[in-house]
């Protein structure tokens, strides 16, 4: 197992995941389809920051299964979207925890900036 994969497994365990294992699939263990498909996304975890239509700064968090990859796995391997969500539940929980930490840090920084701005004003 390479170092990056070890770090991912450890991060998942630190976030509370149980029974995390990595499986290496050797070249040749899975038959290649005749009509080769490009890599298809299976799961999406996304955190974005920016300004909304009211010019308020915020953070948007999105996650879920991606239809193309999930449908491919269901059709070719019998792996359902429910199975995928269950498998990625520990990663999703860790992702939520990280997003909450970033959100709290953003709140702190916004308050600091607001206080600095109020300190600069003369009454």
């Amino acid at each position: 197992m390479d170092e990056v994969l070890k770090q991912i497994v450890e991060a998942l365990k630190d976030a509370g995941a149980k029974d995390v294992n990595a499986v290496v699939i050797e070249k040749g263990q899975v038959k290649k389809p005749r009509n080769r498909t490009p890599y298809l996304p299976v799961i999406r975890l996304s955190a974005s920051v920016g300004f909304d239509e009211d010019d308020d700064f915020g953070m948007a968090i999105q996650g879920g299964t991606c239809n193309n990859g999930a449908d491919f796995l269901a059709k070719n391997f019998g792996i359902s979207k429910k199975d995928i969500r269950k498998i990625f539940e520990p990663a999703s929980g860790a992702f939520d925890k990280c997003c909450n930490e970033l959100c709290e840090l953003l709140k702190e920084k916004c308050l600091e900036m607001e206080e600095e701005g109020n300190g600069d004003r003369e009454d």
Side-chain angles (χ1 to χ4, degrees):
M1 182 175 356
D2 70 355
E3 194 60 36
V4 174
L5 190 54
K6 285 181 186 177
Q7 290 173 354
I8 291 170
V9 169
E10 288 304 313
L12 288 170
K13 286 181 180 178
D14 290 345
K18 295 180 174 45
D19 299 325
V20 177
N21 294 311
V23 177
V24 177
I25 299 174
E26 298 294 331
K27 187 175 181 176
Q29 283 183 305
V30 177
K31 288 186 179 182
K32 295 178 190 172
R34 289 182 189 249
N35 297 330
R36 194 179 281 206
T37 19
Y39 282 94
L40 300 171
V42 174
I43 193 100
R44 170 186 76 260
L45 299 173
S46 171
S48 305
V49 293
F51 293 90
D52 65 13
E53 59 275 354
D54 297 325
D55 289 334
D56 292 326
F57 184 75
M59 187 169 159
I61 302 165
Q62 297 176 327
T65 55
C66 300
N67 288 336
N68 291 341
D71 290 346
F72 174 82
L73 292 175
K75 180 181 174 186
N76 293 288
F77 297 97
I79 300 171
S80 70
K81 286 183 182 180
K82 184 178 177 182
D83 293 335
I84 294 168
R85 283 192 293 270
K86 185 176 179 183
I87 289 166
F88 281 92
E89 194 172 301
S92 179
F95 180 74
D96 286 344
K97 180 182 175 195
C98 292
C99 289
N100 289 337
E101 286 183 34
L102 179 57
C103 192
E104 288 301 314
L105 181 59
L106 285 169
K107 286 178 187 177
E108 288 175 21
K109 295 296 182 181
C110 286
L111 285 173
E112 286 176 13
M113 292 169 62
E114 189 176 296
E115 289 172 1
E116 287 175 5
N118 289 338
D120 291 344
R121 276 197 241 159
E122 292 181 23
D123 294 321

